[in-house]
Amino acid sequence: MLFKLLCHCLGLLCVVFVSYWNIEWRGGFAWDASFLQFNWHPVLMVTGLVVLYGNAAILYRIPFTWSQRKQHWKLVHAALLLSSLILSILGLCAVFDFHTGYHIPNLYSLHSWVGICTVVLFTAQWLLGLVGFLSPCSPLGFRKLLKPVHAWMGMAIFILSLASCLSGINEKLNSTAAYSSHPAEALFANFLGVLIVAFGLVVLGILSNQRWSRLEPGEESSRVSILLSAVIS
Amino acid sequence: MLFKLLCHCLGLLCVVFVSYWNIEWRGGFAWDASFLQFNWHPVLMVTGLVVLYGNAAILYRIPFTWSQRKQHWKLVHAALLLSSLILSILGLCAVFDFHTGYHIPNLYSLHSWVGICTVVLFTAQWLLGLVGFLSPCSPLGFRKLLKPVHAWMGMAIFILSLASCLSGINEKLNSTAAYSSHPAEALFANFLGVLIVAFGLVVLGILSNQRWSRLEPGEESSRVSILLSAVIS
Protein backbone atom coordinates (compact mmCIF):
# COMPACT_ATOMS: atom_id res chain seq x y z
CA MET A 1 0.00 0.00 0.00
CA LEU A 2 2.86 2.34 0.91
CA PHE A 3 4.57 1.50 -2.41
CA LYS A 4 1.38 2.24 -4.38
CA LEU A 5 0.97 5.58 -2.59
CA LEU A 6 4.62 6.40 -3.28
CA CYS A 7 4.07 5.44 -6.91
CA HIS A 8 1.07 7.82 -7.24
CA CYS A 9 2.88 10.68 -5.48
CA LEU A 10 6.02 10.29 -7.65
CA GLY A 11 3.89 10.04 -10.82
CA LEU A 12 2.01 13.24 -9.91
CA LEU A 13 5.30 15.02 -9.13
CA CYS A 14 6.72 13.96 -12.54
CA VAL A 15 3.73 15.53 -14.34
CA VAL A 16 3.92 18.72 -12.22
CA PHE A 17 7.70 19.03 -12.72
CA VAL A 18 7.70 18.44 -16.49
CA SER A 19 4.82 20.94 -16.95
CA TYR A 20 6.42 23.58 -14.70
CA TRP A 21 9.78 23.19 -16.51
CA ASN A 22 8.17 23.95 -19.87
CA ILE A 23 5.99 26.80 -18.56
CA GLU A 24 8.66 28.53 -16.46
CA TRP A 25 11.78 28.15 -18.64
CA ARG A 26 10.58 27.13 -22.12
CA GLY A 27 7.81 29.70 -22.74
CA GLY A 28 4.72 27.50 -22.33
CA PHE A 29 2.65 25.75 -24.96
CA ALA A 30 1.10 26.24 -28.41
CA TRP A 31 0.17 23.99 -31.37
CA ASP A 32 1.62 26.08 -34.23
CA ALA A 33 4.76 24.16 -35.35
CA SER A 34 6.89 26.56 -33.26
CA PHE A 35 9.24 25.65 -30.38
CA LEU A 36 6.20 26.17 -28.15
CA GLN A 37 4.65 23.13 -29.85
CA PHE A 38 7.82 21.18 -29.12
CA ASN A 39 7.19 21.85 -25.40
CA TRP A 40 4.19 19.50 -25.55
CA HIS A 41 6.61 16.66 -26.43
CA PRO A 42 8.24 16.14 -22.98
CA VAL A 43 4.95 16.79 -21.15
CA LEU A 44 2.95 14.29 -23.24
CA MET A 45 5.69 11.63 -23.24
CA VAL A 46 6.30 11.79 -19.48
CA THR A 47 2.56 11.88 -18.70
CA GLY A 48 1.59 9.21 -21.25
CA LEU A 49 4.52 6.87 -21.73
CA VAL A 50 5.82 6.95 -18.14
CA VAL A 51 3.15 7.95 -15.57
CA LEU A 52 -0.09 6.62 -17.16
CA TYR A 53 1.75 3.56 -18.53
CA GLY A 54 3.34 2.79 -15.14
CA ASN A 55 -0.02 3.09 -13.35
CA ALA A 56 -1.69 0.83 -15.93
CA ALA A 57 1.10 -1.73 -15.54
CA ILE A 58 0.64 -2.10 -11.76
CA LEU A 59 -3.18 -2.26 -11.90
CA TYR A 60 -3.35 -6.03 -11.30
CA ARG A 61 -1.02 -5.65 -8.29
CA ILE A 62 -3.60 -3.67 -6.28
CA PRO A 63 -5.01 -6.20 -3.75
CA PHE A 64 -8.60 -4.87 -3.71
CA THR A 65 -8.93 -5.74 -7.44
CA TRP A 66 -8.15 -9.42 -6.81
CA SER A 67 -11.58 -10.22 -5.41
CA GLN A 68 -13.34 -8.58 -8.35
CA ARG A 69 -14.02 -9.84 -11.90
CA LYS A 70 -10.81 -9.70 -13.92
CA GLN A 71 -12.68 -8.72 -17.11
CA HIS A 72 -13.55 -5.28 -15.61
CA TRP A 73 -9.92 -4.62 -14.69
CA LYS A 74 -8.74 -5.79 -18.12
CA LEU A 75 -10.94 -3.05 -19.61
CA VAL A 76 -9.54 -0.43 -17.20
CA HIS A 77 -5.97 -1.65 -18.01
CA ALA A 78 -6.66 -1.42 -21.77
CA ALA A 79 -8.33 2.01 -21.45
CA LEU A 80 -5.47 3.47 -19.39
CA LEU A 81 -2.95 2.13 -21.89
CA LEU A 82 -4.98 3.48 -24.82
CA SER A 83 -4.92 6.95 -23.18
CA SER A 84 -1.17 6.51 -22.67
CA LEU A 85 -0.72 5.51 -26.34
CA ILE A 86 -2.80 8.47 -27.61
CA LEU A 87 -0.78 10.94 -25.49
CA SER A 88 2.46 9.36 -26.75
CA ILE A 89 1.39 9.66 -30.41
CA LEU A 90 0.35 13.30 -29.83
CA GLY A 91 3.77 13.82 -28.22
CA LEU A 92 5.44 12.46 -31.36
CA CYS A 93 3.23 14.69 -33.59
CA ALA A 94 4.37 17.71 -31.53
CA VAL A 95 8.05 17.02 -32.20
CA PHE A 96 7.60 16.06 -35.89
CA ASP A 97 5.58 19.27 -36.55
CA PHE A 98 8.25 21.38 -34.79
CA HIS A 99 11.03 19.72 -36.83
CA THR A 100 9.11 20.36 -40.06
CA GLY A 101 8.52 24.00 -39.09
CA TYR A 102 12.21 24.61 -38.36
CA HIS A 103 13.59 22.31 -41.15
CA ILE A 104 15.26 20.02 -38.59
CA PRO A 105 15.75 16.40 -39.77
CA ASN A 106 13.70 13.74 -37.97
CA LEU A 107 14.97 10.59 -36.25
CA TYR A 108 18.71 11.20 -36.30
CA SER A 109 19.56 10.96 -32.57
CA LEU A 110 19.83 7.84 -30.43
CA HIS A 111 17.08 9.36 -28.24
CA SER A 112 14.74 9.44 -31.25
CA TRP A 113 15.67 5.90 -32.33
CA VAL A 114 14.95 4.47 -28.87
CA GLY A 115 11.83 6.64 -28.49
CA ILE A 116 10.25 5.69 -31.82
CA CYS A 117 11.00 1.98 -31.22
CA THR A 118 9.29 2.30 -27.81
CA VAL A 119 6.09 3.75 -29.31
CA VAL A 120 6.05 1.23 -32.21
CA LEU A 121 6.51 -1.69 -29.79
CA PHE A 122 3.84 -0.18 -27.49
CA THR A 123 1.34 0.05 -30.39
CA ALA A 124 2.02 -3.57 -31.41
CA GLN A 125 1.74 -4.67 -27.75
CA TRP A 126 -1.59 -2.85 -27.27
CA LEU A 127 -3.12 -4.33 -30.45
CA LEU A 128 -1.86 -7.84 -29.63
CA GLY A 129 -3.20 -7.45 -26.08
CA LEU A 130 -6.61 -6.40 -27.45
CA VAL A 131 -6.79 -9.39 -29.81
CA GLY A 132 -5.29 -11.88 -27.34
CA PHE A 133 -6.95 -10.94 -24.04
CA LEU A 134 -10.15 -9.00 -24.83
CA SER A 135 -11.38 -10.66 -28.01
CA PRO A 136 -13.94 -13.39 -27.09
CA CYS A 137 -12.72 -15.64 -29.92
CA SER A 138 -9.12 -15.75 -28.66
CA PRO A 139 -8.36 -19.40 -27.69
CA LEU A 140 -7.28 -20.16 -24.10
CA GLY A 141 -4.05 -21.80 -25.29
CA PHE A 142 -3.05 -18.64 -27.14
CA ARG A 143 -3.80 -16.48 -24.05
CA LYS A 144 -1.61 -18.70 -21.86
CA LEU A 145 1.20 -18.51 -24.40
CA LEU A 146 0.83 -14.76 -24.81
CA LYS A 147 0.65 -13.82 -21.11
CA PRO A 148 4.36 -14.11 -20.15
CA VAL A 149 5.38 -12.48 -23.46
CA HIS A 150 2.88 -9.64 -22.82
CA ALA A 151 4.15 -9.10 -19.27
CA TRP A 152 7.81 -9.20 -20.36
CA MET A 153 7.26 -6.93 -23.37
CA GLY A 154 5.29 -4.52 -21.15
CA MET A 155 8.24 -4.25 -18.76
CA ALA A 156 10.72 -3.86 -21.66
CA ILE A 157 8.63 -1.02 -23.18
CA PHE A 158 8.53 0.74 -19.79
CA ILE A 159 12.34 0.48 -19.39
CA LEU A 160 12.81 1.83 -22.93
CA SER A 161 10.43 4.71 -22.18
CA LEU A 162 12.43 5.59 -19.02
CA ALA A 163 15.71 5.54 -21.02
CA SER A 164 14.10 7.67 -23.78
CA CYS A 165 12.90 10.27 -21.27
CA LEU A 166 16.28 10.55 -19.54
CA SER A 167 18.21 10.87 -22.81
CA GLY A 168 15.61 13.37 -24.09
CA ILE A 169 15.87 15.65 -21.02
CA ASN A 170 19.67 15.41 -21.23
CA GLU A 171 19.59 16.26 -24.96
CA LYS A 172 17.30 19.27 -24.44
CA LEU A 173 19.41 20.67 -21.60
CA ASN A 174 22.61 20.11 -23.60
CA SER A 175 21.30 22.55 -26.19
CA THR A 176 21.35 25.28 -23.51
CA ALA A 177 24.88 26.73 -23.49
CA ALA A 178 24.87 27.39 -19.74
CA TYR A 179 24.07 23.77 -18.76
CA SER A 180 27.52 23.20 -17.22
CA SER A 181 27.22 26.23 -14.92
CA HIS A 182 24.26 24.66 -13.06
CA PRO A 183 21.49 27.18 -13.89
CA ALA A 184 18.20 26.81 -12.01
CA GLU A 185 16.53 25.25 -15.09
CA ALA A 186 19.19 22.53 -15.36
CA LEU A 187 18.96 21.62 -11.67
CA PHE A 188 15.14 21.55 -11.88
CA ALA A 189 15.06 19.41 -15.05
CA ASN A 190 17.80 17.10 -13.73
CA PHE A 191 15.65 16.65 -10.63
CA LEU A 192 12.72 15.79 -12.93
CA GLY A 193 14.99 13.05 -14.35
CA VAL A 194 15.67 11.78 -10.82
CA LEU A 195 11.89 11.72 -10.12
CA ILE A 196 11.30 9.71 -13.33
CA VAL A 197 14.00 7.22 -12.27
CA ALA A 198 12.45 6.94 -8.78
CA PHE A 199 8.94 6.44 -10.22
CA GLY A 200 10.27 3.83 -12.67
CA LEU A 201 12.10 1.88 -9.98
CA VAL A 202 9.04 1.86 -7.69
CA VAL A 203 6.83 0.57 -10.57
CA LEU A 204 9.40 -2.12 -11.48
CA GLY A 205 9.73 -3.03 -7.78
CA ILE A 206 5.95 -3.55 -7.52
CA LEU A 207 5.91 -5.58 -10.76
CA SER A 208 8.81 -7.82 -9.72
CA ASN A 209 7.30 -8.69 -6.33
CA GLN A 210 5.60 -12.07 -6.81
CA ARG A 211 3.56 -11.64 -3.60
CA TRP A 212 1.60 -8.85 -5.27
CA SER A 213 0.69 -10.79 -8.42
CA ARG A 214 -2.97 -11.76 -8.89
CA LEU A 215 -3.29 -15.53 -8.39
CA GLU A 216 -4.96 -17.35 -11.30
CA PRO A 217 -6.60 -20.67 -10.26
CA GLY A 218 -5.21 -22.54 -13.29
CA GLU A 219 -1.74 -21.15 -12.84
CA GLU A 220 -1.57 -21.93 -9.13
CA SER A 221 -2.05 -25.65 -9.63
CA SER A 222 0.46 -25.83 -12.49
CA ARG A 223 3.01 -23.76 -10.53
CA VAL A 224 2.49 -26.01 -7.50
CA SER A 225 2.96 -29.16 -9.58
CA ILE A 226 6.18 -27.80 -11.13
CA LEU A 227 7.52 -26.87 -7.70
CA LEU A 228 6.39 -30.16 -6.14
CA SER A 229 8.14 -32.16 -8.86
CA ALA A 230 11.27 -30.05 -8.31
CA VAL A 231 11.15 -30.75 -4.55
CA ILE A 232 10.51 -34.47 -4.98
CA SER A 233 13.25 -34.98 -7.63
CA MET B 1 20.86 -21.87 -24.05
CA LEU B 2 20.01 -19.86 -27.19
CA PHE B 3 19.34 -16.80 -25.00
CA LYS B 4 22.69 -17.18 -23.21
CA LEU B 5 24.52 -17.48 -26.54
CA LEU B 6 22.67 -14.39 -27.82
CA CYS B 7 23.61 -12.59 -24.61
CA HIS B 8 27.35 -13.39 -25.07
CA CYS B 9 27.31 -12.44 -28.78
CA LEU B 10 25.55 -9.12 -28.10
CA GLY B 11 27.90 -8.36 -25.19
CA LEU B 12 30.95 -9.02 -27.37
CA LEU B 13 29.50 -6.85 -30.15
CA CYS B 14 28.91 -4.00 -27.66
CA VAL B 15 32.60 -4.06 -26.60
CA VAL B 16 33.79 -4.25 -30.24
CA PHE B 17 31.47 -1.43 -31.35
CA VAL B 18 32.31 0.96 -28.47
CA SER B 19 36.08 0.36 -28.98
CA TYR B 20 35.88 0.78 -32.77
CA TRP B 21 33.83 3.99 -32.41
CA ASN B 22 36.52 5.57 -30.22
CA ILE B 23 39.43 4.32 -32.34
CA GLU B 24 37.97 5.17 -35.76
CA TRP B 25 36.22 8.51 -35.07
CA ARG B 26 37.53 9.77 -31.72
CA GLY B 27 41.32 9.37 -32.21
CA GLY B 28 41.99 6.35 -29.98
CA PHE B 29 43.19 6.24 -26.37
CA ALA B 30 45.71 7.80 -23.97
CA TRP B 31 45.87 8.45 -20.19
CA ASP B 32 47.08 12.08 -20.24
CA ALA B 33 43.98 14.13 -19.18
CA SER B 34 43.34 14.91 -22.87
CA PHE B 35 40.19 14.09 -24.86
CA LEU B 36 41.96 10.80 -25.72
CA GLN B 37 41.69 9.91 -22.03
CA PHE B 38 37.96 10.70 -22.18
CA ASN B 39 37.65 7.99 -24.86
CA TRP B 40 38.33 5.37 -22.20
CA HIS B 41 35.12 6.49 -20.44
CA PRO B 42 32.54 4.95 -22.84
CA VAL B 43 34.69 1.85 -23.43
CA LEU B 44 35.19 1.13 -19.71
CA MET B 45 31.59 1.91 -18.75
CA VAL B 46 30.04 -0.25 -21.51
CA THR B 47 32.50 -3.10 -20.88
CA GLY B 48 32.32 -2.93 -17.07
CA LEU B 49 28.93 -1.58 -16.08
CA VAL B 50 26.91 -3.21 -18.89
CA VAL B 51 28.60 -6.30 -20.39
CA LEU B 52 30.57 -7.72 -17.42
CA TYR B 53 27.79 -6.73 -15.00
CA GLY B 54 25.10 -8.33 -17.20
CA ASN B 55 27.08 -11.57 -17.50
CA ALA B 56 27.67 -11.65 -13.73
CA ALA B 57 23.95 -11.10 -13.11
CA ILE B 58 22.84 -14.12 -15.17
CA LEU B 59 25.49 -16.48 -13.76
CA TYR B 60 23.05 -18.37 -11.51
CA ARG B 61 20.67 -18.84 -14.46
CA ILE B 62 23.10 -21.13 -16.31
CA PRO B 63 21.71 -24.68 -15.78
CA PHE B 64 25.08 -26.49 -15.56
CA THR B 65 25.95 -24.43 -12.44
CA TRP B 66 22.86 -25.70 -10.58
CA SER B 67 24.34 -29.12 -9.83
CA GLN B 68 27.57 -27.60 -8.48
CA ARG B 69 28.38 -26.04 -5.08
CA LYS B 70 26.84 -22.59 -4.88
CA GLN B 71 29.79 -21.21 -2.88
CA HIS B 72 32.10 -21.56 -5.93
CA TRP B 73 29.66 -19.67 -8.16
CA LYS B 74 29.19 -17.00 -5.50
CA LEU B 75 32.95 -16.36 -5.70
CA VAL B 76 32.84 -16.20 -9.53
CA HIS B 77 29.80 -13.82 -9.30
CA ALA B 78 31.62 -11.58 -6.79
CA ALA B 79 34.88 -11.63 -8.83
CA LEU B 80 33.11 -10.72 -12.09
CA LEU B 81 31.28 -7.88 -10.33
CA LEU B 82 34.51 -6.67 -8.70
CA SER B 83 36.12 -6.51 -12.17
CA SER B 84 33.02 -4.66 -13.40
CA LEU B 85 33.25 -2.22 -10.46
CA ILE B 86 37.00 -1.58 -11.01
CA LEU B 87 36.46 -0.88 -14.74
CA SER B 88 33.55 1.47 -13.87
CA ILE B 89 35.66 3.40 -11.34
CA LEU B 90 38.52 3.66 -13.90
CA GLY B 91 35.92 4.89 -16.41
CA LEU B 92 34.87 7.62 -13.94
CA CYS B 93 38.56 8.56 -13.33
CA ALA B 94 39.00 8.94 -17.12
CA VAL B 95 36.17 11.48 -17.39
CA PHE B 96 37.07 13.39 -14.16
CA ASP B 97 40.73 13.72 -15.31
CA PHE B 98 39.60 14.93 -18.75
CA HIS B 99 37.23 17.50 -17.17
CA THR B 100 40.04 18.74 -14.88
CA GLY B 101 42.44 19.01 -17.84
CA TYR B 102 39.96 21.06 -19.91
CA HIS B 103 38.45 23.02 -16.96
CA ILE B 104 34.99 21.49 -17.57
CA PRO B 105 32.77 21.31 -14.46
CA ASN B 106 31.94 17.84 -13.16
CA LEU B 107 28.51 16.34 -12.51
CA TYR B 108 26.27 18.94 -14.13
CA SER B 109 24.33 16.81 -16.64
CA LEU B 110 21.49 14.39 -15.97
CA HIS B 111 23.69 11.70 -17.57
CA SER B 112 26.36 12.33 -14.92
CA TRP B 113 23.81 12.39 -12.07
CA VAL B 114 22.31 9.04 -13.11
CA GLY B 115 25.77 7.59 -13.86
CA ILE B 116 27.34 8.54 -10.53
CA CYS B 117 24.28 7.28 -8.60
CA THR B 118 24.61 3.97 -10.49
CA VAL B 119 28.27 3.51 -9.50
CA VAL B 120 27.63 4.57 -5.87
CA LEU B 121 24.70 2.13 -5.58
CA PHE B 122 26.80 -0.58 -7.26
CA THR B 123 29.65 -0.07 -4.72
CA ALA B 124 27.19 -0.27 -1.81
CA GLN B 125 25.54 -3.34 -3.33
CA TRP B 126 28.88 -5.13 -3.83
CA LEU B 127 30.04 -4.43 -0.26
CA LEU B 128 26.68 -5.46 1.22
CA GLY B 129 26.74 -8.61 -0.94
CA LEU B 130 30.25 -9.43 0.33
CA VAL B 131 29.25 -9.00 3.97
CA GLY B 132 25.83 -10.65 3.60
CA PHE B 133 26.55 -13.63 1.33
CA LEU B 134 30.29 -14.40 1.54
CA SER B 135 31.11 -13.58 5.15
CA PRO B 136 30.92 -16.79 7.25
CA CYS B 137 29.52 -14.90 10.24
CA SER B 138 26.51 -13.56 8.35
CA PRO B 139 23.37 -15.05 9.98
CA LEU B 140 20.99 -17.12 7.81
CA GLY B 141 18.04 -14.86 8.69
CA PHE B 142 19.92 -11.81 7.40
CA ARG B 143 20.82 -13.63 4.15
CA LYS B 144 17.18 -14.55 3.54
CA LEU B 145 16.12 -10.97 4.17
CA LEU B 146 18.88 -9.58 1.97
CA LYS B 147 18.42 -11.89 -1.04
CA PRO B 148 15.31 -10.32 -2.64
CA VAL B 149 16.65 -6.82 -1.92
CA HIS B 150 20.02 -7.81 -3.49
CA ALA B 151 18.32 -9.25 -6.61
CA TRP B 152 16.03 -6.24 -6.98
CA MET B 153 18.81 -3.71 -6.39
CA GLY B 154 21.00 -5.59 -8.88
CA MET B 155 18.33 -5.27 -11.57
CA ALA B 156 17.75 -1.58 -10.73
CA ILE B 157 21.51 -0.83 -11.02
CA PHE B 158 21.60 -2.59 -14.40
CA ILE B 159 18.62 -0.57 -15.70
CA LEU B 160 20.27 2.66 -14.48
CA SER B 161 23.52 1.67 -16.19
CA LEU B 162 21.67 1.08 -19.50
CA ALA B 163 19.95 4.49 -19.20
CA SER B 164 23.31 6.14 -18.35
CA CYS B 165 25.01 4.59 -21.40
CA LEU B 166 22.23 5.63 -23.80
CA SER B 167 22.11 9.21 -22.50
CA GLY B 168 25.94 9.35 -22.57
CA ILE B 169 26.21 8.22 -26.22
CA ASN B 170 23.43 10.68 -27.13
CA GLU B 171 25.21 13.50 -25.25
CA LYS B 172 28.57 12.79 -26.93
CA LEU B 173 27.05 12.66 -30.43
CA ASN B 174 25.07 15.85 -29.77
CA SER B 175 28.36 17.70 -29.34
CA THR B 176 29.19 16.86 -32.99
CA ALA B 177 27.60 19.60 -35.12
CA ALA B 178 26.85 17.23 -38.03
CA TYR B 179 24.80 14.76 -35.91
CA SER B 180 21.51 15.67 -37.62
CA SER B 181 22.89 14.99 -41.11
CA HIS B 182 23.40 11.27 -40.30
CA PRO B 183 27.21 11.00 -40.59
CA ALA B 184 28.71 7.49 -40.51
CA GLU B 185 29.90 7.99 -36.90
CA ALA B 186 26.39 8.89 -35.72
CA LEU B 187 24.80 5.88 -37.41
CA PHE B 188 27.52 3.60 -36.00
CA ALA B 189 27.25 4.95 -32.43
CA ASN B 190 23.43 4.95 -32.59
CA PHE B 191 23.67 1.29 -33.60
CA LEU B 192 25.94 0.73 -30.58
CA GLY B 193 23.06 2.14 -28.49
CA VAL B 194 20.65 -0.32 -30.12
CA LEU B 195 23.05 -3.20 -29.33
CA ILE B 196 23.24 -2.07 -25.68
CA VAL B 197 19.42 -2.00 -25.51
CA ALA B 198 19.22 -5.48 -27.09
CA PHE B 199 21.85 -6.87 -24.68
CA GLY B 200 20.04 -5.29 -21.72
CA LEU B 201 16.66 -6.69 -22.71
CA VAL B 202 18.08 -10.21 -23.22
CA VAL B 203 19.75 -10.07 -19.75
CA LEU B 204 16.54 -8.80 -18.12
CA GLY B 205 14.56 -11.47 -20.02
CA ILE B 206 16.81 -14.21 -18.64
CA LEU B 207 16.59 -12.74 -15.10
CA SER B 208 12.80 -12.45 -15.17
CA ASN B 209 12.25 -16.05 -16.31
CA GLN B 210 11.48 -18.03 -13.13
CA ARG B 211 12.18 -21.36 -14.88
CA TRP B 212 15.86 -20.43 -15.07
CA SER B 213 16.26 -19.53 -11.40
CA ARG B 214 18.41 -21.85 -9.26
CA LEU B 215 16.11 -23.76 -6.91
CA GLU B 216 17.06 -23.49 -3.24
CA PRO B 217 15.81 -26.47 -1.14
CA GLY B 218 14.51 -24.24 1.68
CA GLU B 219 12.80 -21.88 -0.70
CA GLU B 220 11.09 -24.64 -2.68
CA SER B 221 9.22 -26.00 0.32
CA SER B 222 8.19 -22.56 1.54
CA ARG B 223 7.09 -21.51 -1.95
CA VAL B 224 5.10 -24.73 -2.31
CA SER B 225 3.38 -24.27 1.06
CA ILE B 226 2.45 -20.66 0.22
CA LEU B 227 1.04 -21.74 -3.14
CA LEU B 228 -0.72 -24.78 -1.66
CA SER B 229 -2.42 -22.64 0.98
CA ALA B 230 -3.47 -20.20 -1.77
CA VAL B 231 -4.95 -23.07 -3.81
CA ILE B 232 -6.73 -24.63 -0.83
CA SER B 233 -8.22 -21.34 0.45
Side-chain angles (χ1 to χ4, degrees), chain A residues 118-141:
Chain A
T118 311
V119 178
V120 168
L121 282 175
F122 182 16
T123 310
Q125 164 91 340
W126 192 86
L127 290 172
L128 202 62
L130 185 75
V131 172
F133 300 116
L134 282 175
S135 158
C137 49
S138 161
L140 194 66

Side-chain angles (χ1 to χ4, degrees), chain B:
Chain B
M1 194 61 201
L2 189 71
F3 270 86
K4 269 90 181 204
L5 195 67
L6 187 64
C7 182
H8 292 312
C9 289
L10 285 169
L12 189 65
L13 276 176
C14 286
V15 176
V16 170
F17 266 62
V18 72
S19 306
Y20 188 78
W21 171 32
N22 285 282
I23 292 166
E24 179 66 22
W25 286 284
R26 296 275 154 188
F29 308 102
W31 200 270
D32 55 1
S34 75
F35 66 93
L36 296 180
Q37 183 167 342
F38 174 86
N39 294 346
W40 281 114
H41 177 65
V43 174
L44 291 169
M45 298 325 261
V46 169
T47 309
L49 208 51
V50 175
V51 179
L52 262 178
Y53 187 103
N55 278 291
I58 60 161
L59 203 70
Y60 300 123
R61 309 285 163 141
I62 302 172
F64 92 87
T65 67
W66 297 345
S67 55
Q68 296 168 19
R69 271 198 71 201
K70 196 170 182 185
Q71 189 65 14
H72 297 156
W73 291 102
K74 274 187 187 177
L75 289 169
V76 178
H77 179 72
L80 274 174
L81 287 171
L82 182 62
S83 318
S84 160
L85 186 58
I86 290 169
L87 292 189
S88 311
I89 291 168
L90 283 174
L92 288 188
C93 291
V95 75
F96 281 122
D97 277 4
F98 160 70
H99 281 180
T100 308
Y102 284 73
H103 306 292
I104 300 168
N106 288 309
L107 301 175
Y108 65 85
S109 70
L110 180 56
H111 161 69
S112 63
W113 284 27
V114 178
I116 201 83
C117 284
T118 312
V119 178
V120 168
L121 282 175
F122 183 16
T123 311
Q125 164 92 339
W126 193 86
L127 290 173
L128 202 61
L130 185 76
V131 173
F133 300 115
L134 282 175
S135 159
C137 49
S138 160
L140 193 66
F142 178 63
R143 287 177 191 226
K144 280 197 169 176
L145 208 67
L146 188 60
K147 199 181 164 187
V149 179
H150 185 78
W152 159 241
M153 189 58 81
M155 194 172 80
I157 291 166
F158 186 63
I159 292 169
L160 290 180
S161 86
L162 294 177
S164 305
C165 284
L166 295 185
S167 61
I169 295 167
N170 204 63
E171 181 173 315
K172 195 68 197 164
L173 291 173
N174 254 315
S175 65
T176 60
Y179 192 18
S180 63
S181 61
H182 296 96
E185 180 192 355
L187 289 176
F188 188 88
N190 278 2
F191 197 66
L192 162 66
V194 174
L195 282 173
I196 290 171
V197 166
F199 174 80
L201 294 185
V202 171
V203 167
L204 292 168
I206 293 170
L207 288 179
S208 68
N209 194 326
Q210 294 298 316
R211 279 183 306 157
W212 288 331
S213 65
R214 187 185 168 114
L215 288 171
E216 308 286 342
E219 282 182 346
E220 282 155 19
S221 51
S222 67
R223 270 197 279 181
V224 168
S225 57
I226 288 166
L227 283 167
L228 274 174
S229 62
V231 173
I232 293 159
S233 66

